[in-house]
């Protein structure tokens, strides 16, 4: 009795998540019918089975989707899988579930990456079934991959693919304003560190550990991943010093280590929070690290204190204070950036409220200075003159090379 790969012989209908959800199949029925008609016509034109034409279409979608070179980290892949599974179970698209532009971008990236992997997996299963001479499984896997590829093209590759602009326009037409979850905007109205500490103290059952972690976020604006790695607090004459190992660091990005100094302003802004952490340093020595569960608890507590408040909202708030009091290089060092351009996405100097007195920031790498101002009129004229001079000299050289010496007459 001939044996073959049992995985390849299992039809996709029995493989969890292989086929399209009923909601998406009904919504994109016309798209699927048109793609099937095109595949049949292509098979007749090339005189090949329709499955071969479908496989060509699948391969074209995978090639176009893979041109972006996306390579998410393992943590991002896990998060992408959860987002995709939730939308797939509901039969929804990223645009259906998105509430903001940033939310849509995240869900679109998640679903696009996971769907690319799933289509490639189904195509590989079809190839394995072909080698095992299991024609039924091969056709079923090919059809499943083909349908997902057709919907994938409509959602992410087609010129008329849905974008956030379509949903925003529909909301405006209905008299609704798209909800904003901007961390920069949340940073403008974020509670001062003292008011946050008081709000946390009033929450029933809130432990002191959450208060200490929240005060570190509020005073220094570091990333959650950096606090998970662990930081070291030290008391200065009247303020605090924080040594932090940076996240998002590679050969050219980020700061592996930076040291941040703050001073209290007054009670109601940061005086109480600084005094609270100074007492924590006296009691524990200053070493502090959060677990992922701690970060979740801090986020929940901040949202209870003020809707939209989060560690990244305080990162934007402290970025505004750093921009208002430090140079571009100093602000980049405070944020943990390797260049002075990345800070453009964080906070505004004009929205700084001075809740925390930022005194100094030292980073282990020098900050690369990037010119971001547009050239002046004189600089633009100089650039044009240089290009014209180079063009004239090259034309002269070409004409000289092309000129031939006429033969001398022999008298």
């Amino acid at each position: 009795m001939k044996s073959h790969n049992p995985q390849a012989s299992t039809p996709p209908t029995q493989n969890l998540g292989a086929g399209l959800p009923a909601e998406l199949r009904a919504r994109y029925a016309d798209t699927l019918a048109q793609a099937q008609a095109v595949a049949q016509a292509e098979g007749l034109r090339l005189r090949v089975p329709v499955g071969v034409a479908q496989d060509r279409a699948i391969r074209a979608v995978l090639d176009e989707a893979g041109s972006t070179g996306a390579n998410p980290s393992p943590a991002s892949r896990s998060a992408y899988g959860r987002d995709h599974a939730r939308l797939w179970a509901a039969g929804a698209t990223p645009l259906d579930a998105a509430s903001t532009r940033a939310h849509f971008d995240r869900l679109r990236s998640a679903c696009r990456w996971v769907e690319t992997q799933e289509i490639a997996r189904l195509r590989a299963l079809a190839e394995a079934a072909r080698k095992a001479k299991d024609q039924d499984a091969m056709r079923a896997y090919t059809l499943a991959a083909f349908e997902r590829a057709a919907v994938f093209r409509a959602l992410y590759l087609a010129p008329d693919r849905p974008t956030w602009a379509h949903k925003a326009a529909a909301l405006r037409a209905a008299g609704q304003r798209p909800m904003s979850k901007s961390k920069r905007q949340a940073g403008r109205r974020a509670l001062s560190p003292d008011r946050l500490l008081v709000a946390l103290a009033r929450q029933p059952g809130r432990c002191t550990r959450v208060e200490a972690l929240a005060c570190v976020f509020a005073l220094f604006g570091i990333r959650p991943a950096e606090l998970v790695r662990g930081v070291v607090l030290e008391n200065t004459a009247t303020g605090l010093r924080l040594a932090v190992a940076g996240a998002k660091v590679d050969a050219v990005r980020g700061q592996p280590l930076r040291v941040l100094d703050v001073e209290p302003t007054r009670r109601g802004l940061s005086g109480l929070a600084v005094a609270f952490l100074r007492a924590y340093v006296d009691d524990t020595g200053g070493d502090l690290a959060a677990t992922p569960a701690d970060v979740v608890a801090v986020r929940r507590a901040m949202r209870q204190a003020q809707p939209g408040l989060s560690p990244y909202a305080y990162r934007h708030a402290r970025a505004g204070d750093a921009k208002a009091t430090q140079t571009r290089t100093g602000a980049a060092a405070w944020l943990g950036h390797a260049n002075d351009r990345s800070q453009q996405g964080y906070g505004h100097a004009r929205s700084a409220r001075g809740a925390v007195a930022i005194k100094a920031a030292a980073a282990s790498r020098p900050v690369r200075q990037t010119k971001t101002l547009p050239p002046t009129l004189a600089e633009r004229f100089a650039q044009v003159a240089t290009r014209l001079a180079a063009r004239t000299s090259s034309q002269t050289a070409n004409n000289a090379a092309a000129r031939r010496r006429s033969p001398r007459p022999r008298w």
Side-chain angles (χ1 to χ4, degrees):
M1 181 177 179
K2 182 173 63 175
S3 63
H4 53 267
N5 186 353
Q7 185 182 16
S9 63
T10 304
T13 54
Q14 298 176 12
N15 190 358
L16 184 61
L20 285 171
E23 296 84 352
L24 289 181
R25 182 180 297 278
R27 183 186 301 187
Y28 289 94
D30 294 341
T31 300
L32 293 172
Q34 183 179 3
Q36 184 66 23
V38 171
Q40 291 176 350
E42 188 71 5
L44 292 175
R45 185 180 69 85
L46 299 175
R47 297 181 180 180
V48 296
V50 66
V52 175
Q54 290 174 343
D55 185 70
R56 290 182 179 226
I58 296 167
R59 189 167 64 248
V61 168
L62 291 176
D63 290 343
E64 189 172 352
S67 62
T68 60
N71 186 25
S73 65
S76 295
R77 295 181 185 188
S78 298
Y80 284 176
R82 292 191 297 269
D83 290 338
H84 177 269
R86 186 173 62 253
L87 293 182
W88 199 252
T93 67
L95 194 62
D96 296 334
S99 56
T100 65
R101 169 63 186 272
H103 191 200
F104 170 70
D105 289 342
R106 174 196 164 88
L107 294 179
R108 179 186 58 186
S109 298
C111 293
R112 176 169 176 153
W113 188 84
V114 173
E115 276 299 292
T116 302
Q117 304 302 310
E118 284 298 302
I119 293 170
R121 183 183 68 85
L122 290 170
R123 185 169 182 264
L125 290 174
E127 177 64 15
R130 183 189 68 81
K131 293 180 179 180
K133 301 186 183 304
D134 189 341
Q135 300 296 321
D136 293 338
M138 180 191 70
R139 295 190 187 95
Y141 281 124
T142 301
L143 180 60
F146 175 73
E147 290 181 344
R148 292 179 80 148
V151 175
F152 183 95
R153 179 177 292 280
L155 284 174
Y156 309 112
L157 302 178
D160 59 344
R161 61 187 178 273
T163 64
W164 176 251
H166 296 117
K167 186 168 185 176
L171 291 174
R172 286 192 297 268
Q176 303 176 12
R177 184 176 180 180
M179 182 175 55
S180 174
K181 292 185 179 179
S182 169
K183 299 297 185 293
R184 176 181 283 183
Q185 186 175 356
R188 295 175 185 171
R189 60 176 188 272
L191 297 175
S192 68
D194 283 4
R195 293 180 62 191
L196 174 66
L197 183 59
V198 172
L200 295 180
R202 292 175 176 174
Q203 293 178 0
R206 187 65 62 205
C207 65
T208 305
R209 179 174 179 78
V210 169
E211 295 174 353
L213 298 174
C215 284
V216 171
F217 285 128
L219 289 172
F220 295 97
I222 63 174
R223 302 179 179 97
E226 294 170 339
L227 193 52
V228 170
R229 293 186 177 188
V231 299
V232 178
L233 283 165
E234 180 184 352
N235 289 339
T236 59
T238 58
L240 285 167
R241 177 175 294 128
L242 181 77
V244 54
K248 298 184 179 180
V249 177
D250 55 24
V252 295
R253 294 190 312 159
Q255 295 291 349
L257 180 67
R258 64 189 190 276
V259 179
L260 314 176
D261 285 13
V262 298
E263 295 284 342
T265 48
R266 62 178 176 83
R267 291 183 182 275
L269 292 180
S270 60
L272 291 176
V274 170
F276 176 82
L277 286 183
R278 284 173 64 87
Y280 179 87
V281 172
D282 292 337
D283 294 339
T284 65
D287 293 343
L288 183 63
T291 65
D294 290 334
V295 175
V296 172
V298 171
R299 288 190 176 122
R300 186 184 302 115
M302 286 184 174
R303 287 196 300 268
Q304 284 184 279
Q306 184 183 56
L309 194 60
S310 68
Y312 259 90
Y314 279 112
R315 182 165 173 79
H316 283 277
R318 298 295 79 82
D321 292 334
K323 289 181 176 182
T325 59
Q326 307 291 314
T327 63
R328 289 179 61 87
T329 300
W334 181 273
L335 292 169
H337 296 158
N339 64 74
D340 63 354
R341 188 172 185 176
S342 299
Q343 61 189 269
Q344 293 178 352
Y346 294 86
H348 289 293
R350 64 177 180 270
S351 62
R353 295 187 295 177
V356 179
I358 293 177
K359 290 301 181 183
S364 56
R365 287 178 177 173
V367 176
R368 299 191 305 272
Q369 295 184 356
T370 307
K371 183 175 180 181
T372 57
L373 294 176
T376 63
L377 183 62
E379 291 172 340
R380 291 200 298 269
F381 275 124
Q383 293 172 358
V384 171
T386 302
R387 288 197 298 268
L388 289 176
R391 186 183 305 171
T392 303
S393 60
S394 62
Q395 289 176 352
T396 303
N398 292 336
N399 292 337
R403 190 181 300 118
R404 296 181 179 179
R405 181 178 295 177
S406 58
R408 289 183 179 181
R410 296 181 181 181
W411 302 103

